[in-house]
């Protein structure tokens, strides 16, 4: 009896072992998908997905790829394209080609394209050429209509095109809220028409620009912005332009989730001036401000008037700069239109909000006494303010 039980147990064990070893072969024989599988129905896209898909379909035809060649270099045509090349500091320069690349978007039916000034600056100053690749793939030449380095904006005029892309819808940046959705379309690392999504992370950021100015009211977003996105649109969930992507904060040069965009209300003021006059009329009062770091070391809270331009509103109002012979400080602007002025960006923001040929009331400190000065702004584009 025991021998029979042992034989049965051994047989069962052997059978289980054989089944275990043979299992993969049996499954492969019975269930191998050696023909195309049937597609599983997924149902409708979610409402959020539909919104994003529709947004990209509407906006992407208006977005273009900008190529700015600093100088004529025939040898560049013989070199292989390196669309993933980065210039110094994670810039947008293609390796070996001397070409600065970025993004732009169609502004109007006349074929004006808005982009960043830093994208086309080298070509503008060096007598280079600019070309634009449309969403259709067509490549056309373009010329610079005007630039505004203080706002990092430039306007191009497209050459003859087979079919003009539609202008991008324009929104407003006045009522933006932190946390609302934001969408960026651009050409990061040369990859055409890339959509990234995120939220508005912060408002009223300040961003240094050229001409010694600091742009206020800048939009911060965590939508991925990388080299090649510069000059591209930042959109709201309705597909309207709310900003122009201009800079990122990143130790590596790639997206770290901190990108900045020029607010559309500034763009909507500056671009028409560039189209009409080739330059932007900067409201100002006609002063050269002293260095903020030096003022801080001297314990000064306000904008030191270093020099007053002859014939300017500041000169007419009697403002006084630093005495060039003795170095004695003249006037310090400590308030403007009822708001405190601690540094130049505070004063610039008030003056820009006022606009051209508009009154501005200043609080000016001289020799320890504060007085009120009223003047009108004027076009002082060649000065800091």
């Amino acid at each position: 009896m025991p021998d029979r039980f042992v034989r049965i147990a051994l047989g069962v064990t052997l059978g289980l072992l054989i089944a275990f070893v043979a299992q993969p072969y049996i499954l492969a024989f019975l269930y191998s998908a050696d023909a195309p599988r049937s597609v599983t129905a997924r149902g409708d896209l979610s409402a959020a997905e539909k919104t994003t898909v529709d947004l990209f379909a509407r906006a992407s035809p208006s977005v273009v790829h900008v190529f700015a060649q600093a100088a004529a270099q025939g040898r560049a045509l013989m070199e292989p394209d390196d669309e993933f090349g980065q210039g110094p500091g994670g810039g947008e320069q293609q390796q070996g080609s001397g070409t600065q690349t970025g993004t732009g978007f169609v502004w109007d039916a006349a074929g004006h394209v808005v982009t960043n000034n830093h994208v086309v600056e080298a070509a503008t100053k060096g007598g280079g050429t600019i070309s634009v690749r449309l969403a259709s793939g067509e490549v056309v030449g373009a010329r610079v209509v005007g630039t505004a380095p203080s706002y990092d904006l430039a306007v191009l005029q497209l050459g003859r095109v087979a079919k003009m892309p539609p202008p991008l819808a324009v929104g407003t940046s006045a009522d933006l809220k932190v946390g609302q959705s934001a969408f960026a379309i651009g050409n990061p690392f040369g990859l055409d028409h890339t959509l990234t999504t995120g939220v508005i992370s912060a408002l009223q950021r300040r961003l240094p620009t050229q001409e010694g100015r600091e742009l206020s009211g800048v939009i911060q977003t965590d939508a991925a912005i990388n080299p090649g996105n510069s000059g591209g649109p930042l959109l709201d969930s309705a597909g309207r332009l709310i900003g122009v992507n201009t800079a990122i904060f990143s130790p590596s040069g790639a997206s770290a989730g901190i990108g900045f965009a020029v607010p559309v209300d500034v763009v909507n003021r500056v671009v028409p001036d560039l189209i009409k006059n080739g330059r932007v009329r900067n409201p100002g009062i006609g002063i050269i401000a002293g260095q903020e770091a030096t003022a801080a070391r001297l314990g000064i809270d306000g904008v030191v008037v270093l020099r007053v331009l002859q014939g300017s509103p500041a000169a007419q109002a009697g403002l006084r700069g630093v005495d060039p012979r003795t170095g004695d400080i003249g006037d310090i602007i400590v308030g403007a239109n009822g708001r405190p002025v601690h540094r130049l960006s505070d004063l610039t923001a008030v003056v820009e909000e006022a606009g051209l040929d508009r009154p501005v009331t200043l609080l000016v400190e001289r020799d320890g006494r504060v007085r009120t000065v009223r003047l009108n702004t004027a076009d002082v584009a060649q000065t800091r303010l």
Side-chain angles (χ1 to χ4, degrees), residues 283-287 312-315 319 333 347 351 362 375-378 380 385:
I285 59 176
I287 66 168
S312 68
L319 291 190
I333 300 174
L347 181 58
V351 171
L362 304 178
L375 45 73
N376 280 1
T377 61
V380 288
L385 185 61

Side-chain angles (χ1 to χ4, degrees), residues 39 49 71 89 163 211 266 294 301 363 372:
V39 176
E49 288 175 312
K163 182 180 179 181
E211 309 289 334
V266 173
T294 302
D301 183 15
L363 289 181
T372 300

